[in-house]
Amino acid sequence: MSAKTRISIAPMVDITDRHFRYFCRLITSKAVLYTEMINSKTIIYGDKKRHLDFDPFEKPVVLQIAGCNKREVAEAVKIAEEWDYDEINLNVGCPSDRVSGNQMGAALMAYPELVAEMVEAMKKESKKPITIKHRIGIDGTNVLSSTLQQVVFNEYEDMERFVKIVSQAGVKHFIVHARIAILEGLSPKENREIPPLRYHEVYRLKEKLPQLIVEINGGVKSIDAINEHLRHVDGVMLGRIAYEDPFMLREIDGLYKESSPLKRSRREIIEALINYVQKIETDLGTSTNLLRNVLGLFANQRGSRKWRQLITPPWPKGYGGAQLLEEALKVLPSDILDDR
Ligand SMILES: Cc1cc2nc3c(=O)[nH]c(=O)nc-3n(C[C@H](O)[C@H](O)[C@H](O)COP(=O)(O)O)c2cc1C
């Protein structure tokens, strides 16, 4: 594995909140974790502590910002400086209408010069690395036609041009979701499933621009698949598998030669979660939302249903998260709880 190699867990709205990141960090000490995508306006005008606070235990953590106005993204980066995120990532991959309708997210792929200007403005406000998460292309003929004649941006050469222009503004690290985004007619979920994966185009990008850090994303579900991608690119970003089967994340540390894997058992993870939940219950008065993204801890194992039933709200009267987790340790099969 090269010095630059990294494995990360993708930014995912409603999933990668601070509690989920804490949970992931109990399983892997090495994977780079991302926030959910946060709109630059939300950072500027919203409840900053609510959106930006995190526990230092989660580090390294990357803040992902969405925006399309260079003054706003720069202002958001300036505000976030106080929180000491390890890197700032700009979202150029989200196909959602809420985002692309505003010419943010994936739609920005049609405007590489604008993205370069945004990056330059962000770099004036922070010394942290600025990275870009994008798609291999977009198809947005109608959505963007008021401003552009033709925005089918679907050829490898289009992506390479985008990356070259943006890298000239000082971005060295590109995370590429190996599908195009179809900006109309498909929901965000369909946009993660229907456009075919074109990994070879991401490999080609690394081949053509070897000085850049190229990280691949999309459909990676196993350690074998990670190892295969690492023969071609510098890093791999895992999305859905991280909440569908989070226990697989324990294998990640073993991919870094210098690390000694945590290899916590599910029992140890739950015990650590109990302490965390108690702390959060004291601080926030509730832990209901905290367990919503740990449902996959027993994926494909005996006890999976029981676990999901136990921690899915509504919880029995008088029960908090810590009591439910204690209960889980009593009723779930001990061989699965102690498996490493
Ligand atoms: C529930 C959900 C929310 C997502 N939210 C974001 C987001 O906030 N920012 C982003 O760049 N991508 C987001 N994505 C896309 C993922 O980061 C990732 O690119 C995509 O799921 C493909 O990777 P996978 O096949 O490993 O899941 C989201 C995906 C899911 C499933």
Side-chain angles (χ1 to χ4, degrees):
M1 179 176 269
S2 83
K4 289 195 216 113
T5 298
R6 62 193 245 160
I7 313 298
S8 63
I9 298 176
M12 289 181 279
V13 165
D14 287 339
I15 305 281
T16 52
D17 58 16
R18 53 182 299 187
H19 308 309
F20 181 73
R21 296 195 304 265
Y22 193 99
F23 168 67
C24 290
R25 187 58 77 220
L26 291 170
I27 308 177
T28 161
S29 63
K30 285 287 179 186
V32 175
L33 306 179
Y34 280 69
T35 65
E36 304 168 84
M37 168 180 73
I38 311 180
N39 193 313
S40 48
K41 280 195 169 62
T42 307
I43 296 179
I44 299 169
Y45 305 111
D47 178 344
K48 297 175 184 40
K49 275 179 72 57
R50 182 172 145 233
H51 292 290
L52 295 174
D53 274 3
F54 66 93
D55 191 313
F57 176 72
E58 298 161 34
K59 277 176 147 282
V61 185
V62 182
L63 169 65
Q64 189 189 57
I65 292 182
C68 59
N69 174 305
K70 64 180 176 184
R71 273 183 298 280
E72 277 175 8
V73 287
E75 174 72 16
V77 165
K78 185 174 174 186
I79 291 168
E81 276 293 272
E82 215 184 293
W83 274 262
D84 198 25
Y85 282 93
D86 294 272
E87 294 174 6
I88 312 290
N89 177 266
L90 180 65
N91 182 314
V92 188
C94 181
S96 160
D97 278 354
R98 268 185 311 165
V99 178
S100 61
N102 287 326
Q103 297 183 2
M104 285 189 219
L108 285 173
M109 285 200 76
Y111 306 94
E113 290 82 6
L114 171 62
V115 175
E117 282 176 22
M118 287 162 68
V119 168
E120 277 160 11
M122 291 160 89
K123 283 183 94 69
K124 287 200 182 116
E125 302 299 343
S126 172
K127 297 266 170 296
K128 305 270 160 65
I130 310 283
T131 69
I132 302 283
K133 180 168 181 276
H134 62 98
R135 298 268 184 148
I136 53 169
I138 50 175
D139 180 338
T141 317
N142 294 328
V143 173
L144 297 173
S145 55
S146 58
T147 45
L148 282 181
Q149 292 299 315
Q150 169 99 17
V151 281
V152 181
F153 191 90
N154 192 0
E155 300 294 327
Y156 167 79
E157 287 71 20
D158 297 326
M159 171 175 64
E160 190 183 305
R161 179 170 173 275
F162 170 83
V163 169
K164 275 186 179 151
I165 293 172
V166 176
S167 67
Q168 277 158 17
V171 176
K172 295 195 177 65
H173 180 169
F174 293 82
I175 301 117
V176 193
H177 184 175
R179 301 185 156 88
I180 65 160
I182 297 174
L183 299 182
E184 57 177 5
L186 290 191
S187 68
K189 184 170 183 292
E190 288 167 332
N191 253 310
R192 293 190 286 267
E193 286 158 7
I194 293 174
L197 286 159
R198 301 186 338 217
Y199 293 137
H200 56 283
E201 294 188 19
V202 188
Y203 300 165
R204 190 168 162 203
L205 185 71
K206 175 66 192 174
E207 230 172 77
K208 291 288 288 290
L209 303 171
Q211 72 280 15
L212 299 179
I213 302 170
V214 176
E215 183 171 341
I216 200 164
N217 167 245
V220 185
K221 302 268 183 210
S222 70
I223 298 297
D224 285 349
I226 293 176
N227 275 320
E228 175 56 27
H229 288 302
L230 289 178
R231 293 175 51 227
H232 306 275
V233 289
D234 304 296
V236 179
M237 175 179 268
L238 305 174
R240 287 161 284 190
I241 192 70
Y243 64 83
E244 288 166 1
D245 184 9
F247 201 54
M248 74 78 77
L249 303 177
R250 76 195 186 289
E251 306 285 348
I252 289 176
D253 292 3
L255 296 169
Y256 290 77
K257 288 201 177 62
E258 76 280 17
S259 82
S260 39
L262 293 172
K263 290 274 180 185
R264 281 196 174 95
S265 64
R266 289 182 181 82
R267 185 189 302 281
E268 288 164 341
I269 294 166
I270 294 172
E271 283 168 354
L273 265 185
I274 291 172
N275 291 333
Y276 177 69
V277 164
Q278 280 167 339
K279 181 175 165 302
I280 295 287
E281 279 173 349
T282 313
D283 294 352
L284 302 182
T286 172
S287 54
T288 317
N289 273 341
L290 194 150
L291 298 182
R292 67 185 173 152
N293 293 323
V294 307
L295 291 169
L297 184 60
F298 288 77
N300 310 315
Q301 302 295 331
R302 274 181 298 118
S304 174
R305 238 183 62 212
K306 184 86 204 155
W307 166 252
R308 297 175 74 93
Q309 279 168 353
L310 261 175
I311 64 170
T312 301
W315 294 346
K317 216 166 181 249
Y319 270 74
Q323 287 98 324
L324 284 171
L325 293 171
E326 302 269 12
E327 182 71 17
L329 290 177
K330 288 187 203 136
V331 300
L332 289 166
S334 31
D335 57 327
I336 310 287
L337 278 167
D338 292 321
D339 179 28
R340 285 173 205 277

